[in-house]
Amino acid sequence: EVSFVVSPFPFLSATFPSALLSTKSDYKMAAAVLDTILKADKVVVFSRAVCPYCVNVKKLFTNLGVAYKEYTFSGDVTVGSETVPGDKLQEFIGEKYSHYTVPVVFIKGQFIGGFDNTNALNKAGKLLPLLE
């Protein structure tokens, strides 16, 4: 049985948890794409087109001189020959890390969270050491 909760923020995600990952193949595909992405880049930011917190986290990294790779959940995410719909990848990340909003930040494959978590690490002087 799949339960639906309508998000009060439809621009973030239509529903969560949802039936987007209704098959094992969907789950495996999203897991494989995420694994490939996290192995390829030191800093990864997942975002959506309309998201002020996404803009803020990208500005933070830019101001710190930190290179990052951005992926958007607004369309398909393609890595090599693998393609997964952004919504399915967002749902997979949400279910795996209990983080259903954007941005989603990873550093060296480690889940950091959103802008608030990333900014708090920076203010505490703990963000840049994660990148070393």
Side-chain angles (χ1 to χ4, degrees):
E1 181 177 313
V2 176
S3 64
F4 288 88
V5 178
V6 177
S7 170
F9 308 104
F11 58 90
L12 297 178
S13 176
T15 59
F16 58 89
S18 75
L20 291 174
L21 296 171
S22 57
T23 68
K24 285 185 180 182
S25 64
D26 290 342
Y27 186 90
K28 286 181 180 180
M29 180 175 53
V33 167
L34 180 62
D35 185 58
T36 301
I37 287 170
L38 297 182
K39 287 178 180 175
D41 295 289
K42 186 185 280 190
V43 179
V44 176
V45 175
F46 290 97
S47 66
R48 283 210 174 258
V50 180
C51 170
Y53 291 105
C54 299
V55 171
N56 289 343
V57 82
K58 292 183 285 185
K59 281 183 183 177
L60 174 64
F61 285 130
T62 299
N63 290 341
L64 292 172
V66 174
Y68 62 88
K69 176 71 175 179
E70 180 183 10
Y71 295 89
T72 179
F73 291 133
S74 300
D76 288 344
V77 177
T78 301
V79 179
S81 63
E82 298 290 326
T83 299
V84 63
D87 289 342
K88 289 186 180 190
L89 186 58
Q90 183 177 13
E91 184 63 29
F92 173 76
I93 291 171
E95 289 178 10
K96 182 169 182 171
Y97 298 100
S98 297
H99 185 88
Y100 295 94
T101 60
V102 287
V104 182
V105 176
F106 289 89
I107 295 177
K108 293 183 176 176
Q110 177 185 349
F111 173 74
I112 302 301
F115 171 71
D116 290 341
N117 303 69
T118 307
N119 194 40
L121 284 171
N122 184 52
K123 287 183 177 183
K126 296 179 180 180
L127 182 62
L128 291 178
L130 289 176
L131 298 164
E132 294 174 356

